[in-house]
Structures are given as C-alpha cells and as structure tokens.
Amino acid sequence: MNILVLNGPNLNLLGKREPEIYGSRTLQAIMAELTDYANSQDAMLFHFQSNAEHELIERIQSLLVNGSDNNAPIDGIIINPAAFTHTSVALRDALLAVNVPFIEVHLSNVHKRESFRHHSYFSDIAQGVIVGLGEQGYRFAVDALITKFQQTN
Ligand code: DQA
C-alpha cells in the first residue's frame, strides 16, 4: 500500500510556530517517524509540504498524470490543508478529480478555535476527519487507511 501525506502552508514551521497549539516537534521529525511507522505496517509513505496552493494542486494532479510514485499507485491520501482548509475550493476540486480516498487531519482542535476555522472545504468529501490529537492524528490516519485498504483488497 502507498500513502501520500500532504501538508499545507506554515506546517514547515512546526516546532517554532505557536508551539502551545501545534507542539514542539518539527514536521521533518514527525514525518520521519510516520514513515518508519508506515513501513513497519508494510506501507510506503510519500510526503509533500508546500506553502503554495498551486503546488499542492499539481502534486495531487500528478497522481492522474503519472498515476504513481515510484511506479506504484497511491492508494490513500492524508492531508492537512492547514489554512487552505478554510479557503480552497481549488484543492477540494483537485481531490475530487483524482478520486483517491483521503483522511483530513488537523493537529489542533479547530472547533475550539476561531469560528472561521470551523468550516472545512474537505470534511464532507473525506473518508474521515481527525482533529485535535496533535501528531498522533497522522498515525491514526495511517492506521485507518491501512485497515480500509486491507478490507477492500
Ligand atoms: C491546522 C488548523 C488550521 O486552521 C490552521 O490554519 C493550520 C493548521 C491544524 O493542523 O490544526 O495551519 O490545519
């Protein structure tokens, strides 16, 4: 099984950025550990972070063009769209276009925060949504995608 993890704007600043909300670990450390975890579960993990909406869209579209990473099809996506969660119809449309099951993850509990964070352009088309559990949320998403994959393959 191959999983693509997408992280949106400012998540490259994890560790420095509002640590009381987002924790003190870097994105690099979190993704390295997640990759090891996925590998231990016989899944491959590919990670892409960008601050640019068009780059995230192009990465998603590349699944149609190439159909793959390392010639292996992507079976599931984990996405933390960060601030684009609340703004991006274009990213939503890209995910609908490739039709790969995805899980939406947020480190913080967006529902405890400002009201503009309460609406997501992704939740109604996601397989599931994980909020407020910090970096553990990514691991739960890996587990959920693997379980789903095993049930259907
Ligand atoms: C976030 C929540 C968003 O509202 C915010 O813009 C982020 C991070 C989270 O992981 O909690 O950048 O997606």
Side-chain angles (χ1 to χ4, degrees), residues 2-5 31 34-35 38-39 43-47 78 142:
N2 298 300
I3 297 170
L4 174 64
V5 182
M31 289 302 131
L34 194 70
T35 301
N39 293 348
M44 292 279 282
L45 195 132
F46 304 90
H47 176 233
I78 297 167
V142 165

Side-chain angles (χ1 to χ4, degrees), residues 91-135:
L91 257 179
R92 173 193 172 94
D93 285 349
L95 286 165
L96 286 171
V98 298
N99 199 26
V100 173
F102 74 89
I103 296 185
E104 176 184 351
V105 172
H106 299 284
L107 296 158
S108 66
N109 182 352
V110 284
H111 301 291
K112 275 210 293 207
R113 301 180 64 194
E114 304 97 317
S115 59
F116 64 83
R117 295 186 203 275
H118 298 176
H119 176 258
S120 164
Y121 278 102
F122 301 87
S123 300
D124 65 309
I125 56 166
Q127 291 259 317
V129 183
I130 301 170
V131 302
L133 300 180
E135 64 184 83

Side-chain angles (χ1 to χ4, degrees), residues 8-66:
N10 300 308
L11 292 171
N12 56 314
L13 298 180
L14 285 183
K16 296 189 190 115
R17 173 194 187 200
E18 298 179 274
E20 64 290 354
I21 297 177
Y22 298 116
S24 55
R25 297 233 301 153
T26 64
L27 184 64
Q28 204 185 9
I30 294 168
M31 289 302 131
E33 208 172 282
L34 194 70
T35 301
D36 287 347
Y37 178 67
N39 293 348
S40 76
Q41 305 298 307
D42 290 329
M44 292 279 282
L45 195 132
F46 304 90
H47 176 233
F48 182 71
Q49 186 277 332
S50 180
N51 296 321
E53 190 175 21
H54 75 97
E55 286 184 1
L56 291 161
I57 291 167
E58 279 155 22
R59 185 67 186 83
I60 294 166
Q61 285 187 8
S62 76
L63 302 183
L64 281 181
V65 180
N66 306 324

Side-chain angles (χ1 to χ4, degrees), residues 64-82:
L64 281 181
V65 180
N66 306 324
S68 69
D69 281 83
N70 289 356
N71 292 326
I74 291 296
D75 304 295
I77 295 173
I78 297 167
I79 184 167
N80 182 347

